[in-house]
Amino acid sequence: TFSDCIISTNIVPDEILNIQDIIKNWSADEFDLILTTGGTGFAPRDITPEATKPLLDKECPGIVVAMISSSLQITPMAMLSRPAAGIRNKTLIVNLPGSPKGAKENLQSIISTIPHAISLIQQNKDKN
């Protein structure tokens, strides 16, 4: 469940280093989950996956497949999304689309698995 959540938000420019700085800081602070919104499309300034992927210790392709598969049932435009998902340190990171509707739909497609994913990541945390 998400009952004991600390929520932090930040709006950053569509620049790789700005995005990476936030991801690095929040994952170093051991946030359990980082959700980014925007920058996953085909436009020249859509660089969130390129900023995210080099920082990941492990990619989570199943999360990406689930989001795109779910979205394709709603719109063929979902094939134009390029999200990334993975683990950095002990933090799950997921790139969501920038449109509020798309972000909500994508999050709804994976939300039921997030607590279990975080639990698995925390098990690894206890071993280190």
Side-chain angles (χ1 to χ4, degrees):
T1 67
F2 300 104
S3 59
D4 296 329
C5 292
I6 296 173
I7 297 173
S8 183
T9 62
N10 200 328
I11 297 171
V12 298
D14 292 328
E15 300 291 340
I16 287 179
L17 294 179
N18 294 96
I19 296 166
Q20 287 181 335
D21 284 345
I22 292 295
I23 291 172
K24 287 176 186 176
N25 290 338
W26 285 355
S27 61
D29 289 341
E30 297 189 10
F31 283 129
D32 294 333
L33 176 66
I34 296 173
L35 299 173
T36 67
T37 58
T40 62
F42 281 20
R45 302 217 26 101
D46 289 338
I47 47 87
T48 303
E50 288 74 23
T52 303
K53 286 181 180 182
L55 301 179
L56 300 177
D57 301 322
K58 294 181 179 179
E59 290 194 34
C60 300
I63 291 174
V64 172
V65 169
M67 290 191 304
I68 292 175
S69 295
S70 176
S71 292
L72 281 170
Q73 294 176 23
I74 299 166
T75 175
M77 296 302 167
M79 68 181 75
L80 303 180
S81 185
R82 306 175 312 103
I87 301 164
R88 176 181 170 83
N89 300 328
K90 305 303 175 193
T91 304
L92 178 62
I93 302 164
V94 180
N95 299 154
L96 299 170
S99 79
K101 181 179 183 291
K104 181 179 178 182
E105 291 167 356
N106 277 252
L107 185 57
Q108 285 176 333
S109 72
I110 62 169
I111 195 85
S112 65
T113 62
I114 289 176
H116 184 64
I118 290 170
S119 175
L120 293 171
I121 294 167
Q122 296 306 315
Q123 287 177 14
N124 290 336
K125 183 183 202 176
D126 295 340
K127 292 179 184 176
N128 292 332

